[in-house]
Amino acid sequence: MTANVVRIRRRDAVLGALEAFRRIYPPISLTSIRAFLYVAENPGINVSELAQACGLTDAGASRVSRGLAARGIDRPLPPSLGLLDCATSAADPRERVLRLSASGQALVARIELLIAAHTPIVVSNDPTPDPAPGPNVEAAPARSTRSN
């Protein structure tokens, strides 16, 4: 029997990650999720750069980042999720630099696992059935194909 294992990402993996985010932090907005993900991809980004990346005003990006930060920052805003650390820039004391907090890093790791979830699919021309799939393998429905 010849079989090829093809790994594919489920089409709904990104939506599943967003739903998981909303289950963990129900009061969060889509704008806050986008801002969080920009900070995750660009550690050390400042508030003005975040505003430009998200299409927000500087004041809007400041509000979003203060809502994603912990209560211990200067002028926190609800929901104070504790996902970001906001620090004063060494180069300019008026500038706030954003990085993920420990809980933000843990959330990114969970989201990456959801998005990177792969489903092995065994493709075979052999009519004998494969053994039952293991606990991490989902059986794919058989599809007939015709040659062109």
PDB file of all heavy atoms in Angstrom, residues 62-99:
ATOM      1  N   SER A  62      -3.690  54.641  22.193  1.00  0.00           N
ATOM      2  CA  SER A  62      -3.351  54.768  23.607  1.00  0.00           C
ATOM      3  C   SER A  62      -4.436  54.145  24.479  1.00  0.00           C
ATOM      4  O   SER A  62      -4.136  53.396  25.411  1.00  0.00           O
ATOM      5  CB  SER A  62      -3.164  56.243  23.973  1.00  0.00           C
ATOM      6  OG  SER A  62      -2.909  56.380  25.350  1.00  0.00           O
ATOM      7  N   ARG A  63      -5.699  54.412  24.156  1.00  0.00           N
ATOM      8  CA  ARG A  63      -6.813  53.832  24.922  1.00  0.00           C
ATOM      9  C   ARG A  63      -6.819  52.306  24.817  1.00  0.00           C
ATOM     10  O   ARG A  63      -6.992  51.606  25.812  1.00  0.00           O
ATOM     11  CB  ARG A  63      -8.149  54.395  24.452  1.00  0.00           C
ATOM     12  CG  ARG A  63      -8.458  55.779  24.982  1.00  0.00           C
ATOM     13  CD  ARG A  63      -9.897  56.190  24.694  1.00  0.00           C
ATOM     14  NE  ARG A  63     -10.190  56.273  23.262  1.00  0.00           N
ATOM     15  CZ  ARG A  63      -9.965  57.341  22.503  1.00  0.00           C
ATOM     16  NH1 ARG A  63      -9.425  58.417  23.032  1.00  0.00           N
ATOM     17  NH2 ARG A  63     -10.268  57.335  21.231  1.00  0.00           N
ATOM     18  N   VAL A  64      -6.621  51.805  23.604  1.00  0.00           N
ATOM     19  CA  VAL A  64      -6.630  50.350  23.407  1.00  0.00           C
ATOM     20  C   VAL A  64      -5.480  49.701  24.177  1.00  0.00           C
ATOM     21  O   VAL A  64      -5.669  48.705  24.868  1.00  0.00           O
ATOM     22  CB  VAL A  64      -6.551  50.003  21.899  1.00  0.00           C
ATOM     23  CG1 VAL A  64      -6.248  48.538  21.690  1.00  0.00           C
ATOM     24  CG2 VAL A  64      -7.850  50.368  21.204  1.00  0.00           C
ATOM     25  N   SER A  65      -4.284  50.277  24.078  1.00  0.00           N
ATOM     26  CA  SER A  65      -3.127  49.682  24.759  1.00  0.00           C
ATOM     27  C   SER A  65      -3.281  49.761  26.280  1.00  0.00           C
ATOM     28  O   SER A  65      -2.893  48.829  26.989  1.00  0.00           O
ATOM     29  CB  SER A  65      -1.828  50.335  24.300  1.00  0.00           C
ATOM     30  OG  SER A  65      -1.803  51.704  24.605  1.00  0.00           O
ATOM     31  N   ARG A  66      -3.873  50.841  26.798  1.00  0.00           N
ATOM     32  CA  ARG A  66      -4.095  50.945  28.242  1.00  0.00           C
ATOM     33  C   ARG A  66      -5.154  49.957  28.711  1.00  0.00           C
ATOM     34  O   ARG A  66      -5.106  49.488  29.843  1.00  0.00           O
ATOM     35  CB  ARG A  66      -4.461  52.376  28.616  1.00  0.00           C
ATOM     36  CG  ARG A  66      -3.260  53.290  28.478  1.00  0.00           C
ATOM     37  CD  ARG A  66      -3.484  54.755  28.779  1.00  0.00           C
ATOM     38  NE  ARG A  66      -4.740  55.126  29.368  1.00  0.00           N
ATOM     39  CZ  ARG A  66      -5.426  56.199  29.015  1.00  0.00           C
ATOM     40  NH1 ARG A  66      -4.994  56.994  28.063  1.00  0.00           N
ATOM     41  NH2 ARG A  66      -6.556  56.492  29.611  1.00  0.00           N
ATOM     42  N   GLY A  67      -6.095  49.599  27.858  1.00  0.00           N
ATOM     43  CA  GLY A  67      -7.082  48.572  28.205  1.00  0.00           C
ATOM     44  C   GLY A  67      -6.495  47.168  28.171  1.00  0.00           C
ATOM     45  O   GLY A  67      -6.948  46.285  28.888  1.00  0.00           O
ATOM     46  N   LEU A  68      -5.481  46.973  27.331  1.00  0.00           N
ATOM     47  CA  LEU A  68      -4.827  45.661  27.242  1.00  0.00           C
ATOM     48  C   LEU A  68      -3.751  45.473  28.313  1.00  0.00           C
ATOM     49  O   LEU A  68      -3.312  44.359  28.563  1.00  0.00           O
ATOM     50  CB  LEU A  68      -4.190  45.485  25.860  1.00  0.00           C
ATOM     51  CG  LEU A  68      -5.163  45.302  24.694  1.00  0.00           C
ATOM     52  CD1 LEU A  68      -4.424  45.400  23.365  1.00  0.00           C
ATOM     53  CD2 LEU A  68      -5.884  43.968  24.807  1.00  0.00           C
ATOM     54  N   ALA A  69      -3.322  46.574  28.928  1.00  0.00           N
ATOM     55  CA  ALA A  69      -2.270  46.505  29.941  1.00  0.00           C
ATOM     56  C   ALA A  69      -2.856  46.133  31.305  1.00  0.00           C
ATOM     57  O   ALA A  69      -4.079  46.048  31.482  1.00  0.00           O
ATOM     58  CB  ALA A  69      -1.553  47.849  30.021  1.00  0.00           C
ATOM     59  N   ALA A  70      -1.973  45.941  32.264  1.00  0.00           N
ATOM     60  CA  ALA A  70      -2.396  45.605  33.620  1.00  0.00           C
ATOM     61  C   ALA A  70      -2.826  46.860  34.373  1.00  0.00           C
ATOM     62  O   ALA A  70      -2.534  47.978  33.951  1.00  0.00           O
ATOM     63  CB  ALA A  70      -1.258  44.909  34.360  1.00  0.00           C
ATOM     64  N   ARG A  71      -3.480  46.664  35.493  1.00  0.00           N
ATOM     65  CA  ARG A  71      -3.958  47.792  36.294  1.00  0.00           C
ATOM     66  C   ARG A  71      -2.821  48.629  36.872  1.00  0.00           C
ATOM     67  O   ARG A  71      -3.014  49.776  37.231  1.00  0.00           O
ATOM     68  CB  ARG A  71      -4.838  47.281  37.436  1.00  0.00           C
ATOM     69  CG  ARG A  71      -6.162  46.773  36.960  1.00  0.00           C
ATOM     70  CD  ARG A  71      -7.084  46.452  38.137  1.00  0.00           C
ATOM     71  NE  ARG A  71      -8.343  45.972  37.631  1.00  0.00           N
ATOM     72  CZ  ARG A  71      -8.685  44.687  37.592  1.00  0.00           C
ATOM     73  NH1 ARG A  71      -7.872  43.773  38.055  1.00  0.00           N
ATOM     74  NH2 ARG A  71      -9.839  44.329  37.092  1.00  0.00           N
ATOM     75  N   GLY A  72      -1.622  48.081  36.959  1.00  0.00           N
ATOM     76  CA  GLY A  72      -0.509  48.770  37.594  1.00  0.00           C
ATOM     77  C   GLY A  72       0.133  49.870  36.765  1.00  0.00           C
ATOM     78  O   GLY A  72       1.028  50.557  37.249  1.00  0.00           O
ATOM     79  N   ILE A  73      -0.303  50.072  35.526  1.00  0.00           N
ATOM     80  CA  ILE A  73       0.308  51.112  34.704  1.00  0.00           C
ATOM     81  C   ILE A  73      -0.257  52.484  35.065  1.00  0.00           C
ATOM     82  O   ILE A  73      -1.263  52.596  35.748  1.00  0.00           O
ATOM     83  CB  ILE A  73       0.092  50.857  33.187  1.00  0.00           C
ATOM     84  CG1 ILE A  73      -1.390  50.982  32.819  1.00  0.00           C
ATOM     85  CG2 ILE A  73       0.683  49.535  32.760  1.00  0.00           C
ATOM     86  CD1 ILE A  73      -1.641  51.181  31.346  1.00  0.00           C
ATOM     87  N   ASP A  74       0.390  53.526  34.555  1.00  0.00           N
ATOM     88  CA  ASP A  74      -0.100  54.879  34.724  1.00  0.00           C
ATOM     89  C   ASP A  74      -1.370  55.038  33.896  1.00  0.00           C
ATOM     90  O   ASP A  74      -1.375  54.762  32.696  1.00  0.00           O
ATOM     91  CB  ASP A  74       0.983  55.856  34.252  1.00  0.00           C
ATOM     92  CG  ASP A  74       0.577  57.304  34.410  1.00  0.00           C
ATOM     93  OD1 ASP A  74      -0.156  57.611  35.369  1.00  0.00           O
ATOM     94  OD2 ASP A  74       0.990  58.120  33.569  1.00  0.00           O
ATOM     95  N   ARG A  75      -2.459  55.440  34.505  1.00  0.00           N
ATOM     96  CA  ARG A  75      -3.759  55.680  33.866  1.00  0.00           C
ATOM     97  C   ARG A  75      -4.309  54.444  33.145  1.00  0.00           C
ATOM     98  O   ARG A  75      -4.564  54.468  31.947  1.00  0.00           O
ATOM     99  CB  ARG A  75      -3.671  56.860  32.906  1.00  0.00           C
ATOM    100  CG  ARG A  75      -3.283  58.146  33.595  1.00  0.00           C
ATOM    101  CD  ARG A  75      -3.197  59.341  32.676  1.00  0.00           C
ATOM    102  NE  ARG A  75      -2.349  59.067  31.539  1.00  0.00           N
ATOM    103  CZ  ARG A  75      -2.618  59.485  30.298  1.00  0.00           C
ATOM    104  NH1 ARG A  75      -3.671  60.195  30.051  1.00  0.00           N
ATOM    105  NH2 ARG A  75      -1.803  59.207  29.323  1.00  0.00           N
ATOM    106  N   PRO A  76      -4.538  53.349  33.855  1.00  0.00           N
ATOM    107  CA  PRO A  76      -5.116  52.158  33.208  1.00  0.00           C
ATOM    108  C   PRO A  76      -6.571  52.399  32.816  1.00  0.00           C
ATOM    109  O   PRO A  76      -7.230  53.272  33.356  1.00  0.00           O
ATOM    110  CB  PRO A  76      -5.018  51.087  34.290  1.00  0.00           C
ATOM    111  CG  PRO A  76      -5.089  51.852  35.569  1.00  0.00           C
ATOM    112  CD  PRO A  76      -4.385  53.166  35.297  1.00  0.00           C
ATOM    113  N   LEU A  77      -7.024  51.616  31.857  1.00  0.00           N
ATOM    114  CA  LEU A  77      -8.424  51.672  31.436  1.00  0.00           C
ATOM    115  C   LEU A  77      -9.019  50.276  31.511  1.00  0.00           C
ATOM    116  O   LEU A  77      -8.334  49.287  31.281  1.00  0.00           O
ATOM    117  CB  LEU A  77      -8.528  52.182  29.996  1.00  0.00           C
ATOM    118  CG  LEU A  77      -8.271  53.666  29.771  1.00  0.00           C
ATOM    119  CD1 LEU A  77      -8.316  53.981  28.279  1.00  0.00           C
ATOM    120  CD2 LEU A  77      -9.290  54.515  30.511  1.00  0.00           C
ATOM    121  N   PRO A  78     -10.317  50.184  31.811  1.00  0.00           N
ATOM    122  CA  PRO A  78     -10.949  48.870  31.783  1.00  0.00           C
ATOM    123  C   PRO A  78     -10.927  48.325  30.366  1.00  0.00           C
ATOM    124  O   PRO A  78     -10.959  49.113  29.435  1.00  0.00           O
ATOM    125  CB  PRO A  78     -12.385  49.137  32.237  1.00  0.00           C
ATOM    126  CG  PRO A  78     -12.454  50.563  32.630  1.00  0.00           C
ATOM    127  CD  PRO A  78     -11.206  51.242  32.188  1.00  0.00           C
ATOM    128  N   PRO A  79     -10.801  47.053  30.161  1.00  0.00           N
ATOM    129  CA  PRO A  79     -10.897  45.989  31.148  1.00  0.00           C
ATOM    130  C   PRO A  79      -9.587  45.631  31.830  1.00  0.00           C
ATOM    131  O   PRO A  79      -9.552  44.705  32.621  1.00  0.00           O
ATOM    132  CB  PRO A  79     -11.419  44.821  30.328  1.00  0.00           C
ATOM    133  CG  PRO A  79     -10.913  45.045  28.958  1.00  0.00           C
ATOM    134  CD  PRO A  79     -10.842  46.532  28.783  1.00  0.00           C
ATOM    135  N   SER A  80      -8.471  46.343  31.564  1.00  0.00           N
ATOM    136  CA  SER A  80      -7.173  46.075  32.210  1.00  0.00           C
ATOM    137  C   SER A  80      -6.846  44.590  32.190  1.00  0.00           C
ATOM    138  O   SER A  80      -6.758  43.930  33.217  1.00  0.00           O
ATOM    139  CB  SER A  80      -7.159  46.613  33.650  1.00  0.00           C
ATOM    140  OG  SER A  80      -7.331  48.003  33.655  1.00  0.00           O
ATOM    141  N   LEU A  81      -6.663  44.057  30.999  1.00  0.00           N
ATOM    142  CA  LEU A  81      -6.507  42.616  30.811  1.00  0.00           C
ATOM    143  C   LEU A  81      -5.140  42.069  31.211  1.00  0.00           C
ATOM    144  O   LEU A  81      -4.977  40.864  31.353  1.00  0.00           O
ATOM    145  CB  LEU A  81      -6.802  42.260  29.354  1.00  0.00           C
ATOM    146  CG  LEU A  81      -8.223  42.563  28.897  1.00  0.00           C
ATOM    147  CD1 LEU A  81      -8.379  42.260  27.417  1.00  0.00           C
ATOM    148  CD2 LEU A  81      -9.220  41.790  29.716  1.00  0.00           C
ATOM    149  N   GLY A  82      -4.147  42.925  31.346  1.00  0.00           N
ATOM    150  CA  GLY A  82      -2.828  42.456  31.755  1.00  0.00           C
ATOM    151  C   GLY A  82      -2.064  41.727  30.661  1.00  0.00           C
ATOM    152  O   GLY A  82      -1.172  40.943  30.941  1.00  0.00           O
ATOM    153  N   LEU A  83      -2.404  41.972  29.400  1.00  0.00           N
ATOM    154  CA  LEU A  83      -1.747  41.286  28.287  1.00  0.00           C
ATOM    155  C   LEU A  83      -0.527  42.032  27.752  1.00  0.00           C
ATOM    156  O   LEU A  83       0.309  41.438  27.080  1.00  0.00           O
ATOM    157  CB  LEU A  83      -2.749  41.069  27.152  1.00  0.00           C
ATOM    158  CG  LEU A  83      -3.949  40.199  27.510  1.00  0.00           C
ATOM    159  CD1 LEU A  83      -4.949  40.183  26.362  1.00  0.00           C
ATOM    160  CD2 LEU A  83      -3.503  38.798  27.862  1.00  0.00           C
ATOM    161  N   LEU A  84      -0.450  43.331  28.031  1.00  0.00           N
ATOM    162  CA  LEU A  84       0.666  44.142  27.549  1.00  0.00           C
ATOM    163  C   LEU A  84       1.407  44.779  28.709  1.00  0.00           C
ATOM    164  O   LEU A  84       0.820  45.078  29.747  1.00  0.00           O
ATOM    165  CB  LEU A  84       0.180  45.272  26.631  1.00  0.00           C
ATOM    166  CG  LEU A  84      -0.515  44.923  25.331  1.00  0.00           C
ATOM    167  CD1 LEU A  84      -0.820  46.203  24.560  1.00  0.00           C
ATOM    168  CD2 LEU A  84       0.322  43.987  24.495  1.00  0.00           C
ATOM    169  N   ASP A  85       2.702  45.014  28.482  1.00  0.00           N
ATOM    170  CA  ASP A  85       3.507  45.841  29.365  1.00  0.00           C
ATOM    171  C   ASP A  85       3.756  47.143  28.626  1.00  0.00           C
ATOM    172  O   ASP A  85       4.147  47.127  27.452  1.00  0.00           O
ATOM    173  CB  ASP A  85       4.848  45.171  29.685  1.00  0.00           C
ATOM    174  CG  ASP A  85       4.701  43.991  30.631  1.00  0.00           C
ATOM    175  OD1 ASP A  85       3.770  44.004  31.455  1.00  0.00           O
ATOM    176  OD2 ASP A  85       5.530  43.065  30.546  1.00  0.00           O
ATOM    177  N   CYS A  86       3.507  48.248  29.272  1.00  0.00           N
ATOM    178  CA  CYS A  86       3.748  49.572  28.697  1.00  0.00           C
ATOM    179  C   CYS A  86       4.894  50.197  29.482  1.00  0.00           C
ATOM    180  O   CYS A  86       4.794  50.350  30.699  1.00  0.00           O
ATOM    181  CB  CYS A  86       2.516  50.462  28.824  1.00  0.00           C
ATOM    182  SG  CYS A  86       1.067  49.835  27.983  1.00  0.00           S
ATOM    183  N   ALA A  87       5.954  50.554  28.792  1.00  0.00           N
ATOM    184  CA  ALA A  87       7.110  51.147  29.452  1.00  0.00           C
ATOM    185  C   ALA A  87       7.460  52.457  28.769  1.00  0.00           C
ATOM    186  O   ALA A  87       7.187  52.646  27.581  1.00  0.00           O
ATOM    187  CB  ALA A  87       8.296  50.186  29.389  1.00  0.00           C
ATOM    188  N   THR A  88       8.074  53.341  29.524  1.00  0.00           N
ATOM    189  CA  THR A  88       8.543  54.605  28.968  1.00  0.00           C
ATOM    190  C   THR A  88       9.792  54.335  28.150  1.00  0.00           C
ATOM    191  O   THR A  88      10.686  53.596  28.573  1.00  0.00           O
ATOM    192  CB  THR A  88       8.857  55.597  30.104  1.00  0.00           C
ATOM    193  OG1 THR A  88       7.684  55.754  30.889  1.00  0.00           O
ATOM    194  CG2 THR A  88       9.283  56.936  29.562  1.00  0.00           C
ATOM    195  N   SER A  89       9.867  54.931  26.985  1.00  0.00           N
ATOM    196  CA  SER A  89      11.013  54.759  26.098  1.00  0.00           C
ATOM    197  C   SER A  89      12.245  55.420  26.715  1.00  0.00           C
ATOM    198  O   SER A  89      12.164  56.506  27.301  1.00  0.00           O
ATOM    199  CB  SER A  89      10.713  55.395  24.739  1.00  0.00           C
ATOM    200  OG  SER A  89      11.869  55.474  23.954  1.00  0.00           O
ATOM    201  N   ALA A  90      13.393  54.777  26.568  1.00  0.00           N
ATOM    202  CA  ALA A  90      14.646  55.351  27.045  1.00  0.00           C
ATOM    203  C   ALA A  90      15.042  56.555  26.197  1.00  0.00           C
ATOM    204  O   ALA A  90      15.661  57.497  26.685  1.00  0.00           O
ATOM    205  CB  ALA A  90      15.745  54.295  27.022  1.00  0.00           C
ATOM    206  N   ALA A  91      14.676  56.548  24.921  1.00  0.00           N
ATOM    207  CA  ALA A  91      15.042  57.633  24.005  1.00  0.00           C
ATOM    208  C   ALA A  91      14.166  58.863  24.194  1.00  0.00           C
ATOM    209  O   ALA A  91      14.641  59.993  24.072  1.00  0.00           O
ATOM    210  CB  ALA A  91      14.956  57.145  22.564  1.00  0.00           C
ATOM    211  N   ASP A  92      12.883  58.674  24.492  1.00  0.00           N
ATOM    212  CA  ASP A  92      11.953  59.792  24.619  1.00  0.00           C
ATOM    213  C   ASP A  92      10.960  59.469  25.740  1.00  0.00           C
ATOM    214  O   ASP A  92      10.137  58.566  25.597  1.00  0.00           O
ATOM    215  CB  ASP A  92      11.210  60.004  23.299  1.00  0.00           C
ATOM    216  CG  ASP A  92      10.290  61.205  23.310  1.00  0.00           C
ATOM    217  OD1 ASP A  92      10.103  61.827  24.381  1.00  0.00           O
ATOM    218  OD2 ASP A  92       9.747  61.530  22.238  1.00  0.00           O
ATOM    219  N   PRO A  93      11.025  60.194  26.852  1.00  0.00           N
ATOM    220  CA  PRO A  93      10.151  59.867  27.985  1.00  0.00           C
ATOM    221  C   PRO A  93       8.661  60.073  27.704  1.00  0.00           C
ATOM    222  O   PRO A  93       7.823  59.588  28.454  1.00  0.00           O
ATOM    223  CB  PRO A  93      10.628  60.803  29.105  1.00  0.00           C
ATOM    224  CG  PRO A  93      11.499  61.817  28.461  1.00  0.00           C
ATOM    225  CD  PRO A  93      11.945  61.277  27.145  1.00  0.00           C
ATOM    226  N   ARG A  94       8.316  60.743  26.611  1.00  0.00           N
ATOM    227  CA  ARG A  94       6.901  60.910  26.252  1.00  0.00           C
ATOM    228  C   ARG A  94       6.363  59.688  25.512  1.00  0.00           C
ATOM    229  O   ARG A  94       5.158  59.517  25.374  1.00  0.00           O
ATOM    230  CB  ARG A  94       6.722  62.145  25.367  1.00  0.00           C
ATOM    231  CG  ARG A  94       7.109  63.449  26.052  1.00  0.00           C
ATOM    232  CD  ARG A  94       7.138  64.568  25.059  1.00  0.00           C
ATOM    233  NE  ARG A  94       8.185  64.276  24.067  1.00  0.00           N
ATOM    234  CZ  ARG A  94       8.392  64.971  22.970  1.00  0.00           C
ATOM    235  NH1 ARG A  94       7.620  65.990  22.671  1.00  0.00           N
ATOM    236  NH2 ARG A  94       9.354  64.652  22.134  1.00  0.00           N
ATOM    237  N   GLU A  95       7.248  58.850  25.026  1.00  0.00           N
ATOM    238  CA  GLU A  95       6.872  57.702  24.200  1.00  0.00           C
ATOM    239  C   GLU A  95       6.674  56.461  25.068  1.00  0.00           C
ATOM    240  O   GLU A  95       7.456  56.193  25.969  1.00  0.00           O
ATOM    241  CB  GLU A  95       7.998  57.471  23.183  1.00  0.00           C
ATOM    242  CG  GLU A  95       7.731  56.374  22.192  1.00  0.00           C
ATOM    243  CD  GLU A  95       8.887  56.267  21.208  1.00  0.00           C
ATOM    244  OE1 GLU A  95       9.843  55.531  21.494  1.00  0.00           O
ATOM    245  OE2 GLU A  95       8.816  56.927  20.167  1.00  0.00           O
ATOM    246  N   ARG A  96       5.614  55.707  24.766  1.00  0.00           N
ATOM    247  CA  ARG A  96       5.344  54.445  25.463  1.00  0.00           C
ATOM    248  C   ARG A  96       5.640  53.286  24.523  1.00  0.00           C
ATOM    249  O   ARG A  96       5.147  53.250  23.394  1.00  0.00           O
ATOM    250  CB  ARG A  96       3.883  54.363  25.916  1.00  0.00           C
ATOM    251  CG  ARG A  96       3.466  55.430  26.891  1.00  0.00           C
ATOM    252  CD  ARG A  96       4.166  55.237  28.248  1.00  0.00           C
ATOM    253  NE  ARG A  96       3.823  56.293  29.175  1.00  0.00           N
ATOM    254  CZ  ARG A  96       4.622  57.318  29.458  1.00  0.00           C
ATOM    255  NH1 ARG A  96       5.786  57.431  28.883  1.00  0.00           N
ATOM    256  NH2 ARG A  96       4.250  58.231  30.332  1.00  0.00           N
ATOM    257  N   VAL A  97       6.435  52.346  25.017  1.00  0.00           N
ATOM    258  CA  VAL A  97       6.829  51.169  24.250  1.00  0.00           C
ATOM    259  C   VAL A  97       6.001  49.990  24.750  1.00  0.00           C
ATOM    260  O   VAL A  97       5.832  49.808  25.953  1.00  0.00           O
ATOM    261  CB  VAL A  97       8.342  50.894  24.416  1.00  0.00           C
ATOM    262  CG1 VAL A  97       8.752  49.642  23.672  1.00  0.00           C
ATOM    263  CG2 VAL A  97       9.149  52.091  23.948  1.00  0.00           C
ATOM    264  N   LEU A  98       5.482  49.199  23.807  1.00  0.00           N
ATOM    265  CA  LEU A  98       4.572  48.103  24.141  1.00  0.00           C
ATOM    266  C   LEU A  98       5.215  46.751  23.873  1.00  0.00           C
ATOM    267  O   LEU A  98       5.824  46.533  22.816  1.00  0.00           O
ATOM    268  CB  LEU A  98       3.291  48.237  23.314  1.00  0.00           C
ATOM    269  CG  LEU A  98       2.587  49.591  23.399  1.00  0.00           C
ATOM    270  CD1 LEU A  98       1.471  49.670  22.372  1.00  0.00           C
ATOM    271  CD2 LEU A  98       2.063  49.821  24.800  1.00  0.00           C
ATOM    272  N   ARG A  99       5.064  45.866  24.837  1.00  0.00           N
ATOM    273  CA  ARG A  99       5.522  44.482  24.715  1.00  0.00           C
ATOM    274  C   ARG A  99       4.471  43.587  25.365  1.00  0.00           C
ATOM    275  O   ARG A  99       3.666  44.050  26.157  1.00  0.00           O
ATOM    276  CB  ARG A  99       6.860  44.288  25.425  1.00  0.00           C
ATOM    277  CG  ARG A  99       8.019  44.933  24.723  1.00  0.00           C
ATOM    278  CD  ARG A  99       9.343  44.548  25.396  1.00  0.00           C
ATOM    279  NE  ARG A  99      10.466  44.969  24.598  1.00  0.00           N
ATOM    280  CZ  ARG A  99      10.886  46.217  24.453  1.00  0.00           C
ATOM    281  NH1 ARG A  99      10.245  47.188  25.077  1.00  0.00           N
ATOM    282  NH2 ARG A  99      11.917  46.508  23.700  1.00  0.00           N
TER     283      ARG A  99
END
